[in-house]
Amino acid sequence: RLGFNYVKELGATPREAIFKERANGNFASFDDFQDRLRRHPPTAEAVQNLIMVGAFETLGIPRRELLWRWQEGQRARGRKRGIAPQASFRLNSEPPPLAGVTPIESTRLEYAISELSTGRHLVHYWRDRLEALGVLDSIQAKKVPTGRTVRVGGLVIVRQAPGTAKKLRFFTIEDELGHVNVTFMPDVYER
């Protein structure tokens, strides 16, 4: 689980409304969610982000289908100007066949929307390729004696270039098992 404060575009007021309504019982459906948040509705971007990070997965509708239904409901309400918007996203038509979200897509969505994931680390999906290239994971790299050349790979999570470091660069690379600190000499960094 991940806190709602990590969901981009979901402001404090809708977040508090969700907590308050959830205290009155779990949401039975997406319609129920929208009905109960009618007074403090999240923005369209926030609803889309909630859907895509899987906040409604337990309601039994796959992410892409729920997003399609919700967007079609939004378009239908936009065409019915002058009529009070309804929270329901029920439609007369069925969604087209939509592929489920793959594990890597789920992870990518979580990183894009929340900047972190409760599932697998992105590097996990490339571990086989990295190993084929002789890349060590962060645990293996830490066991290599000082002065040896190693290959590491992962996400760069920190870049530092202190003014007092004589053009040295310091990076922290993260993989699915931990971190590796890397120091670049000026000539290597330039290359």
Side-chain angles (χ1 to χ4, degrees), residues 21-96:
E21 286 299 325
R22 210 171 45 187
N24 296 327
N26 290 337
F27 297 105
S29 66
F30 187 72
D31 282 332
D32 183 39
F33 170 80
Q34 289 190 301
D35 287 340
R36 289 166 59 184
L37 292 178
R38 197 175 275 172
R39 291 184 63 211
H40 300 289
T43 64
E45 293 84 6
V47 173
Q48 180 176 327
N49 288 345
L50 285 167
I51 292 170
M52 294 314 293
V53 296
F56 302 103
E57 292 257 306
T58 59
L59 299 178
I61 301 174
R63 294 178 201 189
R64 285 193 171 122
E65 181 179 336
L66 181 58
L67 183 63
W68 182 88
R69 289 176 179 262
W70 175 75
Q71 287 176 336
E72 286 299 305
Q74 292 290 97
R75 284 189 200 107
R77 282 190 292 283
R79 288 190 297 267
K80 295 179 182 179
R81 292 196 176 127
I83 298 175
Q86 299 176 5
S88 174
F89 71 99
R90 292 179 198 91
L91 301 170
N92 293 331
S93 64
E94 287 297 312

Side-chain angles (χ1 to χ4, degrees), residues 14 19-20 22 30 34 39 41-42 52 79 84 91 94 97-98 103 120 122-123 131 142 149 157 173:
F19 294 144
K20 182 180 175 187
R22 210 171 45 187
F30 187 72
Q34 289 190 301
R39 291 184 63 211
M52 294 314 293
R79 288 190 297 267
L91 301 170
E94 287 297 312
L98 300 167
R120 296 204 182 270
L122 279 173
V123 175
E131 285 178 358
K142 289 177 183 170
T149 301
I157 60 169
I173 298 175

Side-chain angles (χ1 to χ4, degrees), residues 146-159:
T146 301
R148 299 266 174 90
T149 301
V150 297
R151 283 185 143 182
V152 295
L155 303 178
V156 176
I157 60 169
V158 176
R159 291 178 180 88

